[in-house]
């Protein structure tokens, strides 16, 4: 049996981020990817540094290139007790 996942809408996630006071927009791509292009107001913590990252007590909206790394990052943040949501990939972001 084949189950189709609902595609994550990064624009809906960004709208929720903007409407959530004291939230953090987190880009988990590499520093090079972040430097080449990122969504305004995002902070960069590459996925391979998430385990060492000391999160704030805020809601995190997490994205990467396609949504896969952000899914892993959200799982790791939730293990730390952080309120985090995967908003997908910047590849679907349109100005």
């Amino acid at each position: 049996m084949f189950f189709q996942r609902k595609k994550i809408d990064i624009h809906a996630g960004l709208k929720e981020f903007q409407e959530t006071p004291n939230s953090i927009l987190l880009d988990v791509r590499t520093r090079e990817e972040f430097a080449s292009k990122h969504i305004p107001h995002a902070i960069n913590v590459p996925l391979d540094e998430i385990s060492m990252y000391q999160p704030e007590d805020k809601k995190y909206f997490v994205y990467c290139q396609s949504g896969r790394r952000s899914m892993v990052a959200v799982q790791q943040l939730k293990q730390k007790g952080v309120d985090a949501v995967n908003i997908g990939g910047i590849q679907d972001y349109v100005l």
Side-chain angles (χ1 to χ4, degrees):
M1 187 177 278
F2 177 75
F3 294 95
Q4 185 174 1
R5 259 190 210 193
K6 182 181 175 207
K7 184 157 177 62
I8 297 172
D9 180 356
I10 192 165
H11 294 95
L14 288 170
K15 184 176 188 303
E16 186 180 347
F17 160 70
Q18 293 166 344
E19 294 171 351
T20 305
N22 299 314
S23 60
I24 293 177
L25 181 60
L26 183 64
D27 183 325
V28 296
R29 297 174 304 143
T30 65
R31 296 200 188 289
E32 293 78 18
E33 288 172 306
F34 184 81
S36 71
K37 174 183 167 183
H38 63 271
I39 299 172
H41 309 293
I43 64 167
N44 180 229
V45 178
L47 178 60
D48 61 358
E49 297 177 18
I50 286 289
S51 63
M52 298 173 289
Y53 179 65
Q54 296 299 316
E56 298 179 46
D57 187 20
K58 298 181 177 186
K59 183 166 185 174
Y60 282 76
F61 293 84
V62 186
Y63 74 92
C64 62
Q65 183 63 34
S66 69
R68 292 184 190 274
R69 285 179 279 182
S70 51
M71 179 180 65
V72 172
V74 164
Q75 289 171 345
Q76 291 182 15
L77 288 167
K78 285 184 174 187
Q79 288 175 348
K80 293 182 175 198
V82 175
D83 185 4
V85 62
N86 178 10
I87 63 168
I90 195 171
Q91 69 186 14
D92 298 321
Y93 175 68
V94 180
L95 293 174

